[in-house]
Amino acid sequence: SLDDESAASAHFVGEEEDLDCDCTHVIERGRLNWIVDALDGTATYTKGLNSFAISIALLDEMNQPLFGLIHLPGIFGRTYLVSAHGGELARYDANQAAGELQLTPIQTPLPAPDAWKRPGTPLSRSYLYANSNVHRLGLERFQGKIRNHGSTAAHLAMLCDGLEDPAAVLLTRCHVWDVAAGLALADAAGLEIRRKDSWQRLDYRTALESYIGPARRPPQIVGHPEVLAAMRPA
């Protein structure tokens, strides 16, 4: 819960700037920040495909997540939630026949994917979910499958749901509203966030603050620690 004064002074961050409503592209330091992407995957949505997402995060004055939400109305009819400051991760499943929502806690930290527990699982069985410029990133040595569903938030939500096959999400050409909620979910799920170039592990705040300002940021990769360790040579 927030007191009235804090809630009234919160700043909004999003793709659509509106100075009259205190909404800009940039996180305001020392304030509460709502980071909203009302439709992540606009091109996907306009083409009639269903892998788009709604992404909302609330950061405290130190840029730590108070709340994170990704809603996937088209893919699964699911909403993924994370509670304050790296708390419990849960998923709402829409039961459209009954018109009800069912809350399902997600095991945290996430265990290694089922397929990864079987000896001899080849790296070619793994998945890398990436943005549209992945063909320019020099991943020729990666033997697995590369997928792009058109929504970074959807990629991160699916990863935090616990996939059977080993998978990771590569973040490139992203804005803060694309990743704020998804990285909060990943952090709550016990997944790792690393720089692709140096493989340095990043905490949530450091990863998110790299999106503040116009500087070019190196790609980041998100996934289960065991999966990332196996993928690193590729």
Side-chain angles (χ1 to χ4, degrees):
S1 60
L2 303 173
D3 59 70
D4 292 341
E5 183 177 353
S6 296
S9 63
H11 174 66
F12 280 80
V13 180
E15 194 168 3
E16 294 76 27
E17 278 194 309
D18 188 339
L19 298 181
D20 292 335
C21 297
D22 196 15
C23 179
T24 68
H25 291 167
V26 182
I27 292 174
E28 290 281 350
R29 299 183 185 274
R31 297 176 63 182
L32 293 178
N33 283 269
W34 284 102
I35 304 179
V36 179
D37 194 341
L39 186 58
D40 183 36
T42 306
T44 297
Y45 177 79
T46 57
K47 290 175 174 58
L49 303 175
N50 63 5
S51 53
F52 56 91
I54 299 164
S55 175
I56 303 173
L58 175 62
L59 308 187
D60 67 12
E61 293 85 351
M62 301 300 293
N63 291 343
Q64 294 287 357
L66 288 169
F67 172 80
L69 177 150
I70 294 177
H71 180 41
L72 304 176
I75 303 180
F76 303 119
R78 289 179 178 172
T79 299
Y80 298 80
L81 299 168
V82 58
S83 60
H85 285 296
E88 293 183 357
L89 182 64
R91 182 186 72 224
Y92 279 100
D93 289 307
N95 183 344
Q96 297 182 358
E100 298 177 351
L101 292 174
Q102 181 178 1
L103 179 64
T104 306
I106 295 177
Q107 181 180 348
T108 55
L110 281 176
D114 289 341
W116 210 244
K117 298 174 186 177
R118 295 193 287 271
T121 300
L123 192 61
S124 59
R125 177 95 181 254
S126 62
Y127 287 81
L128 187 65
Y129 295 93
N131 298 99
S132 57
N133 67 330
V134 67
H135 57 289
R136 301 189 182 100
L137 298 180
L139 294 174
E140 292 84 1
R141 293 176 59 190
F142 179 68
Q143 300 172 8
K145 303 172 179 65
I146 298 177
R147 296 288 184 266
N148 173 23
H149 291 291
S151 167
T152 299
H155 294 161
L156 289 167
M158 290 188 296
L159 186 69
C160 294
D161 198 12
L163 300 174
E164 177 184 351
D165 293 307
V169 175
L170 184 62
L171 304 175
T172 60
R173 295 177 61 184
C174 295
H175 300 282
V176 67
W177 49 85
D178 297 319
V179 301
L183 291 181
L185 266 64
D187 185 62
L191 303 180
E192 289 184 351
I193 308 166
R194 292 185 177 272
R195 285 178 52 142
K196 176 180 171 291
D197 53 359
S198 65
W199 217 252
Q200 174 190 0
R201 185 172 179 181
L202 307 173
D203 58 25
Y204 176 85
R205 178 179 173 182
T206 304
L208 196 71
E209 287 185 346
S210 70
Y211 293 88
I212 300 175
R216 184 177 180 182
R217 62 195 63 85
Q220 297 170 355
I221 191 166
V222 185
H224 189 280
E226 293 183 30
V227 175
L228 292 188
M231 284 186 174
R232 181 177 182 180

